[in-house]
């Protein structure tokens, strides 16, 4: 039972319900989905009442039907003598007037109207999902499959990254996912889901679904240049739909490449492209993707200089209570602090954000926009809201040795089904300042980030740093810290990072973005532009000049 509850995020994909058109959004947040999950219990209760009311009505009608049939059979057996009795005349007249009128009214009555109206009102709530939620849930599932290179047959069997959750998808579910994968320009995944839909067909669904599946397979195989597979699929369609001319265009296309068919294998379509060997030719997204799935990782020689230990340098108080720190990169600096936030503080943050989170946005060309590159929900909390927020800021100052007076508001975020934030930099591009998208621009750019992990995540949800080859798996009570800018104030592209999709679990994080205003006494500039030349290059150049 527990495993099935953990898997309810995937079950949202199966919700083939026509939701009312409202503005809520739930697939991007497990917290929000948990809320509407409770509404379903109320909907089930209304449905039970509706069924009970209609069952009572049907029981009454069945009893009257048996009674009327007995009286009619008796009349037929008695013949004309039946009507000689005035009582029988009266009973027949009553049945044909009052009794049948009552039956007609009862059959026309909208039994269960009250529970039905309550159910409809519940579905029309502004905080109930709409049809877009189903698309978002399928997108999340496809994102998981694409980034983590999951096999379709495993996902359909309820196995996510090696863990079985005991939930099976049916043929119609697989077909729905295939159709959206095709719309989202994932033809190889769409092809795999169609084959899985065909494999999972039950006899009762075969007549209805098989032609649809085969027809879409023909189109995808043509798109993927699998002409031998296209030929075989068209032959299957001809067998189940003899005499049809609906696929003439496909036959014509096939005839044009008839000579190639003999040279091709039966099914050359792979679900996923081969793993890359040359990482230098990958796009930023592919670097992010392969860091998430573990293909990009640091070598032993790159890990060798990194250390773990206790930090006492940044504040005298740390001499009494040193902080546990794990080095992940020296240049640029990236460290992970352990056990730096308390459960009581997390509980306070959750209370402060209750019913306040909404869909996260990203910086667009001229404004902040909702994007599929970032599927999460968040809210901002000013430090004046509660003393716990100010306590956290003091701790961050001790951790980073930076001033927090001009840090942005606390951002609390929650990630849902396949929730992720694709590769990005936290520092603002010059265009963001020019188009006035940066709040309080006089505070400067984001010099550093502190990312608190408020929950453990069972599967997925790591923070990927592709250039640094680091993958930070969420660890409750820990916090990552890194500089976003070079000491010269120029944005450091090496800090590109992203939140990998959630496979199972709920991920809560707290972001502290620290601005560069009044930080010159804490992080001074070098005598050279470190965005152009590294310290090792400067030392090497100096040594050559001495020689």
């Amino acid at each position: 039972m527990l495993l099935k509850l953990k898997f309810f995020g995937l079950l949202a994909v199966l919700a083939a319900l026509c939701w009312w058109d409202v503005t809520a959004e739930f697939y991007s947040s497990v917290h929000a989905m948990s809320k509407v999950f409770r509404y379903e219990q109320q909907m089930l209760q209304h449905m039970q009442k509706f069924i009970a009311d209609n069952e009572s009505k049907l029981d009454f009608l069945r009893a009257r039907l048996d009674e009327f049939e007995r009286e009619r059979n008796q009349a037929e057996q008695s013949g004309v003598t039946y009507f000689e009795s005035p009582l029988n005349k009266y009973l027949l007249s009553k049945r044909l007037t009052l009794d049948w009128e009552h039956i007609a009214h009862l059959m026309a009555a909208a039994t269960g109207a009250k529970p039905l109206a309550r159910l409809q009102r519940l579905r029309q709530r502004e905080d109930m999902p709409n049809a877009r939620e189903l698309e978002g849930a399928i997108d999340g599932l496809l994102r998981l499959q694409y980034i983590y290179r999951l096999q379709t047959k495993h996902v359909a069997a309820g196995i996510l990254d090696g863990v079985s959750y005991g939930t099976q998808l049916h043929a119609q579910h697989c077909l729905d996912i295939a159709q959206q994968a095709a719309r989202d320009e994932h033809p190889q995944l769409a092809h795999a889901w169609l084959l899985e839909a065909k494999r999972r067909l039950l006899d009762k669904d075969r007549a209805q679904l098989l032609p649809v599946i085969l027809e879409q397979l023909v189109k995808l195989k043509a798109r993927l240049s699998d002409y031998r597979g296209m030929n075989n699929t068209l032959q299957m369609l001809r067998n189940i739909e003899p005499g049809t001319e609906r696929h003439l265009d496909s036959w014509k296309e096939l005839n044009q490449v008839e000579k190639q068919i003999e040279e091709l294998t039966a099914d050359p379509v792979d679900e996923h492209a081969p793993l890359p060997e040359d990482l230098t030719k990958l796009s930023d997204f592919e670097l992010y993707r392969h860091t998430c799935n573990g293909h990009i990782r640091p070598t032993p020689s790159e890990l060798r200089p990194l250390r773990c230990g206790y930090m006492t340098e940044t504040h005298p108080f740390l001499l009494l209570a040193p902080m546990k720190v794990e080095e992940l990169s020296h240049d640029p600096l990236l460290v992970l602090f352990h056990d730096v936030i308390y459960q009581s503080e997390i509980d306070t943050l959750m209370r402060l954000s209750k019913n306040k989170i909404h869909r996260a946005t990203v910086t667009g060309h001229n404004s902040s926009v909702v994007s599929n590159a970032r599927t999460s929900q968040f809210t901002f909390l000013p430090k004046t809201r509660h003393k716990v927020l100010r306590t956290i800021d003091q701790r961050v100052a001790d951790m980073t040795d930076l001033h927090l007076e001009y840090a942005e508001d606390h951002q609390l975020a929650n990630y849902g089904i396949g929730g992720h934030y694709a590769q990005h930099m936290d520092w603002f591009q010059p265009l963001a300042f020019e188009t006035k998208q940066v709040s309080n621009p006089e505070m400067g750019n984001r010099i550093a980030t502190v990312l608190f992990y408020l929950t453990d995540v069972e599967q997925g949800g790591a923070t990927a740093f592709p250039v640094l080859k680091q993958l930070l798996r969420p660890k409750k009570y820990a916090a990552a810290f890194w500089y976003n800018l070079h000491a010269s104030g120029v944005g450091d592209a090496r800090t590109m990072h992203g939140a990998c999709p959630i496979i199972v679990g709920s991920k809560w994080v707290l972001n502290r973005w620290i601005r560069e205003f009044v930080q010159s006494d804490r992080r001074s500039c070098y005598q050279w532009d470190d965005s152009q030349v590294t310290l090792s290059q400067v030392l090497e150049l100096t040594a050559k000049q001495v020689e």
Side-chain angles (χ1 to χ4, degrees):
M1 181 63 181
L2 181 60
L3 286 176
K4 290 194 175 184
L5 286 175
K6 291 176 181 175
F7 200 55
F8 82 90
L10 178 57
L11 292 180
V13 177
L14 314 182
L17 300 175
C18 183
W19 296 105
W20 290 81
D21 186 16
V22 294
T23 57
E25 179 174 283
F26 298 89
Y27 72 86
S28 57
S29 168
V30 166
H31 169 71
M33 290 197 70
S34 301
K35 182 179 177 180
V36 294
F37 187 66
R38 292 193 293 270
Y39 290 155
E40 189 179 39
Q41 179 59 39
Q42 299 177 41
M43 295 171 70
L44 290 172
Q45 292 171 352
H46 295 324
M47 185 176 177
Q48 290 169 351
K49 183 66 168 61
F50 179 87
I51 292 172
D53 289 350
N54 279 278
E55 282 182 338
S56 299
K57 171 181 173 179
L58 292 173
D59 289 343
F60 177 82
L61 290 173
R62 288 191 190 98
R64 298 291 77 73
L65 177 63
D66 291 342
E67 177 185 336
F68 291 175
E69 284 182 337
R70 281 197 307 272
E71 293 179 359
R72 182 172 180 79
N73 290 336
Q74 183 182 350
E76 287 180 342
Q77 291 173 4
S78 300
V80 179
T81 58
Y82 177 84
F83 300 106
E84 293 177 355
S85 169
L87 291 177
N88 290 340
K89 289 181 181 179
Y90 161 71
L91 291 174
L92 178 60
S93 298
K94 180 178 179 295
R95 283 205 308 277
L96 294 175
T97 53
L98 295 179
D99 289 353
W100 275 106
E101 182 181 7
H102 177 63
I103 294 297
H105 284 317
L106 185 60
M107 292 175 66
T111 309
K114 287 184 178 180
L116 178 60
R118 293 191 188 104
L119 187 148
Q120 294 285 31
R121 282 198 299 272
L122 192 61
R123 291 183 61 210
Q124 292 179 58
R125 288 177 62 105
E126 288 188 357
D127 53 355
M128 284 292 282
N130 58 25
R132 186 164 56 90
E133 301 299 321
L134 182 59
E135 293 183 6
I138 297 177
D139 277 338
L141 185 60
L142 290 169
R143 186 180 305 116
L144 291 177
Q145 187 178 6
Y146 180 69
I147 288 182
Y148 293 112
R149 299 174 62 86
L150 306 180
Q151 295 296 309
T152 297
K153 63 181 181 181
H154 293 157
V155 178
I159 301 171
L160 298 182
D161 204 22
V163 180
S164 176
Y165 291 92
T167 301
Q168 298 277 340
L169 300 187
H170 303 311
Q172 182 64 63
H173 303 145
C174 297
L175 177 58
D176 292 341
I177 296 170
Q179 290 171 335
Q180 185 149 330
R183 289 194 297 270
D184 291 349
E185 299 299 319
H186 288 299
Q188 290 170 279
L189 291 182
H191 180 269
W193 278 105
L194 285 173
L195 292 179
E196 189 64 24
K198 179 173 171 287
R199 193 177 72 82
R200 288 177 172 267
L201 272 177
L202 300 176
D203 290 340
K204 64 183 182 66
D205 301 321
R206 187 169 293 275
Q208 177 185 358
L209 293 182
L210 184 58
V212 178
I213 294 170
L214 294 179
E215 193 169 334
Q216 295 192 31
L217 268 175
V218 167
K219 296 176 182 178
L220 276 169
K221 286 181 178 294
R223 184 175 173 184
L224 295 167
S225 301
D226 178 18
Y227 296 112
R228 178 182 284 270
M230 179 183 175
N231 179 55
N232 294 339
T233 308
L234 279 170
Q235 293 290 354
M236 293 178 65
L237 266 175
R238 172 179 282 180
N239 292 337
I240 63 174
E241 293 183 341
T244 182
E245 297 183 356
R246 290 195 301 126
H247 311 297
L248 282 177
D249 290 340
S250 297
W251 281 111
K252 290 176 182 177
E253 180 180 354
L254 193 61
N255 289 334
Q256 292 174 0
V257 293
E258 188 174 5
K259 294 181 180 179
Q260 301 178 29
I261 295 177
E262 297 301 324
E263 303 173 3
L264 297 173
T265 56
D267 190 6
V269 180
D270 294 323
E271 286 187 50
H272 301 284
L275 287 169
E277 295 181 1
D278 186 357
L279 302 182
T280 62
K281 296 181 179 180
L282 296 181
S283 66
D284 286 348
F285 176 76
E286 288 299 307
L287 286 170
Y288 155 78
R289 175 191 173 203
H290 289 297
T291 305
C292 287
N293 63 38
H295 181 57
I296 296 177
R297 64 183 71 183
T299 63
S301 61
E302 291 170 329
L303 291 173
R304 194 169 295 119
L306 304 176
R307 298 288 182 267
C308 297
Y310 287 91
M311 187 179 74
T312 60
E313 298 86 355
T314 56
H315 195 279
F317 177 73
L318 298 185
L319 293 170
L320 299 175
M323 291 183 176
K324 290 183 284 187
V325 187
E326 179 182 350
E327 296 177 347
L328 300 173
S329 172
H330 290 157
D331 184 23
L333 181 65
L334 171 62
V335 298
L336 184 67
F337 293 93
H338 293 269
D339 301 322
V340 286
I341 192 167
Y342 300 101
Q343 184 62 50
S344 59
E345 294 171 332
I346 294 174
D347 294 339
T348 299
L349 291 171
M350 296 300 183
R351 285 196 301 272
L352 292 174
S353 64
K354 188 176 182 181
N355 299 324
K356 289 183 172 60
I357 64 172
H358 55 85
R359 177 67 187 267
T361 57
V362 299
T363 302
H365 290 295
N366 296 303
S367 62
S368 295
V369 295
V370 169
S371 168
N372 283 338
R374 187 180 193 181
T375 52
S376 64
Q377 297 199 3
F378 66 15
T379 189
F380 285 95
L381 301 170
K383 63 182 178 182
T384 55
R385 179 79 185 279
H386 198 281
K387 64 179 181 180
V388 163
L389 299 174
R390 297 188 289 277
T391 300
I392 292 173
D393 272 5
Q394 180 57 57
R395 193 174 306 133
V396 170
D398 295 342
M399 293 159 53
T400 63
D401 196 29
L402 294 172
H403 294 294
L404 268 291
E405 289 90 341
Y406 299 100
E408 298 177 28
D409 289 343
H410 294 243
Q411 188 207 63
L412 194 68
N414 178 232
Y415 292 80
I417 302 170
H420 79 307
Y421 190 179
Q423 76 285 350
H424 64 282
M425 268 78 73
D426 281 355
W427 47 273
F428 298 114
Q429 299 281 355
L431 181 62
F433 286 96
E434 294 170 10
T435 54
K436 299 181 179 179
Q437 296 182 60
V438 180
S439 61
N440 303 312
E442 69 279 0
M443 290 162 46
N445 216 325
R446 292 170 172 171
I447 189 173
T449 296
V450 177
L451 174 64
F452 287 92
Y453 295 106
L454 308 183
T455 55
D456 293 314
V457 178
E458 292 167 72
Q459 287 181 276
T463 306
F465 288 81
V467 180
L468 306 181
K469 300 181 183 179
Q470 287 290 351
L471 189 66
L472 282 66
R473 302 191 185 280
K475 183 174 176 57
K476 192 174 183 180
Y477 311 126
F481 166 66
W482 65 91
Y483 284 117
N484 294 307
L485 307 178
H486 290 281
S488 62
V490 176
D492 193 338
R494 298 172 299 173
T495 64
M496 180 180 71
H497 61 284
C500 301
I502 302 288
I503 298 178
V504 173
S506 179
K507 178 183 175 183
W508 285 90
V509 296
L510 176 69
N511 276 302
R512 299 302 292 119
W513 287 307
I514 306 169
R515 295 290 186 91
E516 61 184 329
F517 187 59
V518 303
Q519 303 291 358
S520 58
D521 63 324
R522 301 300 175 96
R523 193 192 187 202
S524 57
C525 299
Y526 299 135
Q527 293 180 326
W528 66 90
D529 186 350
D530 63 326
S531 67
Q532 302 293 327
V533 184
T534 65
L535 176 59
S536 60
Q537 290 172 327
V538 170
L539 294 175
E540 183 181 349
L541 180 61
T542 303
K544 288 182 179 179
Q545 289 176 342
V546 171
E547 291 176 359

